[in-house]
């Protein structure tokens, strides 16, 4: 299936707080389909189902240890698990497959024949997406999507794998058009760009755009909102560290032409 058209425009989201998982999902879908609260709701539902399974299949002591922990699918900082991303994309009949899985072997040989890849290392997510027959890196740490040639796509994926990144293939029937008009499709960090505008912005940044500085107040507001969302739909739990790995420094491979 060919990527979404949207009148030839590219949908890109620039990093906000620690919401790279939200940005990743939306750029896979090419539109502002999900908010952080939508993903938090999915995470809460997954947590609830996991707790029920633990109660049914483990000893009381083991279940108690599990239930005493915070969410396994979202941290209070806004970092989501791969299971949450999978559930979000399942809404649009899209399947997320580890690239090292046997069923994804054709994508390892000819990645240019696919439509989207999700990449993850530590607490950073981003997608590489084919739109209108052309490949782009929609990493939210950059001001605009970066165009990839088909040859460079394969080399870049190999570079990511060599640097320890987890890569997932996304397959299915991608939305062809964002159902929201561009005037309504504003979530504060999303933007529609023509390929020419994306190229101009990328060149102006000389491919060395520094990651946006986080606003501490915004981070605190986000933590509070996610915590409230989880409390609304999950049993009260004792405070503890999230099981999702978090780092301040993101190991982003060097981009080369």
């Amino acid at each position: 299936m060919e990527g979404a058209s949207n009148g030839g425009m590219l949908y890109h989201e620039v990093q906000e707080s620690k919401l790279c998982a939200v940005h990743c999902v939306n750029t896979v879908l090419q539109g502002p389909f999900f908010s952080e609260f939508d993903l938090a709701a999915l995470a809460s539902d997954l947590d609830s189902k996991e707790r029920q399974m633990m109660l049914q299949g483990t000893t009381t002591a083991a279940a108690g240890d599990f239930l005493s922990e915070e969410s396994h699918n979202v941290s209070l900082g806004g970092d989501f698990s791969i299971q949450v991303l999978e559930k979000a994309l399942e809404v649009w009949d899209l399947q997320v497959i580890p690239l090292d899985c046997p069923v994804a072997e054709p994508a390892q040989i000819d990645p240019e024949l696919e439509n989207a890849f999700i990449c993850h290392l530590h607490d950073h997510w981003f997608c590489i997406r084919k739109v209108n027959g052309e490949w782009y890196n929609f990493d939210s740490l950059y001001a605009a999507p970066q165009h990839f040639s088909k040859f460079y796509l394969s080399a870049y994926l190999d570079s990511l794998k060599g640097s320890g990144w987890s890569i997932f293939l996304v397959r299915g029937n991608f939305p062809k058009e964002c159902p929201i008009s561009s005037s309504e499709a504003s979530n504060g960090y999303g933007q529609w760009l023509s390929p020419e505008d994306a190229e101009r912005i990328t060149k102006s940044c000389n491919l060395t755009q520094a990651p946006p500085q986080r606003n501490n107040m915004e981070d605190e507001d986000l933590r509070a909102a996610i915590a409230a969302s989880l409390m609304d739909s999950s049993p009260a739990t004792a405070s503890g560290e999230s099981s999702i790995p978090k780092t301040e420094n993101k190991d982003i491979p060097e981009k080369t032409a």
Side-chain angles (χ1 to χ4, degrees):
M1 294 293 295
E2 188 63 31
S5 58
N6 287 316
M9 302 294 281
L10 306 172
Y11 180 76
H12 184 62
E13 294 189 356
V14 177
Q15 185 80 14
E16 178 78 11
S17 187
K18 294 182 180 180
L19 298 181
C20 53
V22 179
H23 307 320
C24 179
V25 169
N26 284 337
T27 49
V28 166
L29 296 171
Q30 281 296 283
F33 291 85
F34 288 92
S35 71
E36 60 269 35
F37 304 109
D38 296 325
L39 295 195
L42 291 174
S44 179
D45 182 61
L46 285 169
D47 288 335
S48 177
K49 291 178 179 177
E50 289 170 1
R51 292 187 181 100
Q52 291 175 7
M53 292 178 62
M54 288 294 295
L55 286 172
Q56 295 171 359
T58 63
T59 64
T60 302
D65 291 341
F66 183 86
L67 293 173
S68 68
E69 298 178 2
E70 291 182 356
S71 171
H72 284 236
N73 292 289
V74 59
S75 71
L76 293 182
D79 183 30
F80 294 92
S81 70
I82 182 59
Q83 288 78 15
V84 173
L85 275 69
E86 288 176 341
K87 285 295 182 182
L89 293 174
E90 280 178 8
V91 174
W92 293 92
D93 296 322
L94 295 174
Q95 184 180 13
V96 178
I97 306 168
L99 190 58
D100 57 3
C101 182
V103 71
E105 185 175 352
Q108 301 176 35
I109 300 172
D110 296 308
E112 68 275 6
L113 300 180
E114 303 295 336
N115 284 298
F117 296 92
I118 288 175
C119 308
H120 177 254
L121 182 68
H122 302 312
D123 65 345
H124 189 58
W125 297 94
F126 72 94
C127 94
I128 302 172
R129 177 77 154 88
K130 182 162 66 176
V131 181
N132 295 321
E134 298 294 328
W135 282 96
Y136 295 89
N137 179 354
F138 286 93
D139 192 331
S140 56
L141 294 180
Y142 297 108
Q146 298 183 358
H147 180 262
F148 279 177
S149 67
K150 293 179 180 180
F151 171 78
Y152 185 60
L153 169 67
S154 180
Y156 186 71
L157 290 173
D158 287 342
S159 174
L160 290 178
K161 287 185 288 185
S163 298
W165 286 74
S166 297
I167 303 176
F168 303 87
L169 171 65
V170 184
R171 282 179 173 167
N173 296 319
F174 292 82
K176 297 296 293 182
E177 299 285 345
C178 178
I180 307 172
S181 68
S182 58
S183 62
E184 297 172 324
S186 175
N187 51 19
Y189 35 76
Q191 57 183 331
W192 295 94
L193 298 169
S194 68
E196 294 77 17
D197 285 339
E199 182 180 11
R200 175 181 54 79
I201 293 171
T202 298
K203 286 183 176 179
S204 70
C205 294
N206 296 319
L207 302 178
T208 57
Q209 168 106 356
Q213 297 297 316
R214 296 192 183 100
N215 183 304
N216 290 333
M217 185 63 70
E218 290 178 354
D219 281 356
E220 291 175 4
D221 291 343
L222 175 62
R223 293 189 190 98
I226 290 178
S229 176
L230 292 173
M231 289 177 64
D232 286 342
S233 52
S234 300
T237 59
S239 176
E241 290 298 322
S242 169
S243 65
I244 301 174
K246 296 180 289 182
T247 61
E248 285 302 319
N249 296 321
K250 298 179 174 60
D251 186 11
I252 308 301
E254 180 181 357
K255 275 70 174 176
T256 58

